Amino acid sequence: MMEVLPLSRAFTLIEPGPVVLVTTHDGHKDNVMTITWTMVLDFSATFAITTGPWNYSYAALVGTKECVLSIPTADLIDTAVGIGTCTGRDTDKFAKFGLSRAPARHVRPPLIRECLANIECRVIDIVDRHGIIVLEGVAAHIDTAREERRMLHAVGDGTFIIDGSVLDRKKMMRSKLPGGL
C-alpha cells in the first residue's frame, strides 16, 4: 500500500551521487569540505556541486575558481561526516582528520591520498539562485591499489547508503550471447 510522503522529504528518494570531499586553497591555506549534492552534467567531465556562502570554502572556490573533488570510500565515513560538521575557519581539517595532501598537476588545492579518486577541476559557471557551482574536470587520478572501493551516498536525512555489488552490464550481455561472446 502506498503511503503519502511529505513533499519536503521527496529529495531523499533521488540520491544525488557519491559523497565528495572538496579541497580548496584560498591563497593562504588548504581547506576541505564535505558535499553530498553532486551531479554529472555530461561525458566530458563536467560536474556540478551545490554549496553557498554559508560554507567557509565557498569564498575560496569562487575566488580562485578551482578545486579538487576527492572521492572517499566506505571506510572514510566518519572522516567525511566529521569534515562536514566543523568549519575550516578555525580548524585545520587535514590535521584533525589525518588526511595526507598530494600535489595536484593543474590546480593549487591538493589531492587527498586517502581517497579512492581525485578530480582536479576549474569553476566554469556559478548559478547563484540555486547555489550551483559548475566544474570542468582538467585531470583525474585513481588509486588502483586501494582495496576498499565502495562509495558513500548521502540520502539527505542523516543516513547513508554504501555501494553494494558492481554489475558489469557488458559482461552480463556477453554471457547471454550464443557462445558466450
Side-chain angles (χ1 to χ4, degrees):
M1 179 172 144
M2 292 289 227
E3 294 183 27
V4 173
L5 177 69
L7 193 54
S8 64
R9 308 289 300 145
F11 74 94
T12 66
L13 300 173
I14 301 176
E15 187 190 329
V19 171
V20 175
L21 302 178
V22 179
T23 65
T24 57
H25 186 88
D26 65 4
H28 304 287
K29 67 178 185 172
D30 298 326
N31 194 31
V32 58
M33 67 177 164
T34 301
I35 295 289
T36 59
W37 288 18
T38 59
M39 181 175 26
V40 174
L41 297 179
D42 64 31
F43 292 111
S44 65
T46 305
F47 312 100
I49 61 173
T50 303
T51 188
W54 58 88
N55 276 329
Y56 178 71
S57 293
Y58 181 77
L61 187 59
V62 171
T64 65
K65 303 256 189 283
E66 58 184 25
C67 68
V68 173
L69 302 179
S70 300
I71 314 301
T73 49
D75 56 331
L76 294 173
I77 188 168
D78 291 337
T79 299
V81 170
I83 287 168
T85 58
C86 64
T87 178
R89 189 176 325 283
D90 54 21
T91 304
D92 178 348
K93 295 183 192 182
F94 283 88
K96 181 173 181 164
F97 296 100
L99 297 174
S100 308
R101 294 169 175 89
R105 292 187 359 225
H106 302 283
V107 298
R108 192 162 180 188
L111 311 178
I112 299 176
R113 287 189 194 279
E114 290 76 15
C115 287
L116 172 64
N118 291 269
I119 306 167
E120 299 178 43
C121 296
R122 297 201 196 288
V123 175
I124 58 172
D125 196 8
I126 299 172
V127 184
D128 287 321
R129 179 176 178 210
H130 298 288
I132 296 172
I133 309 289
V134 181
L135 305 167
E136 176 182 50
V138 295
H141 314 269
I142 189 161
D143 182 351
T144 56
R146 192 160 193 348
E147 287 187 36
E148 178 61 81
R149 301 178 76 79
R150 296 173 301 154
M151 290 183 271
L152 302 165
H153 302 268
V155 176
D157 61 356
T159 59
F160 293 85
I161 296 171
I162 295 175
D163 288 339
S165 300
V166 175
L167 300 177
D168 183 337
R169 187 169 175 268
K170 290 178 185 174
K171 187 183 271 187
M172 290 170 53
M173 294 303 291
R174 283 192 301 264
S175 70
K176 291 180 181 179
L177 293 173
L181 303 173

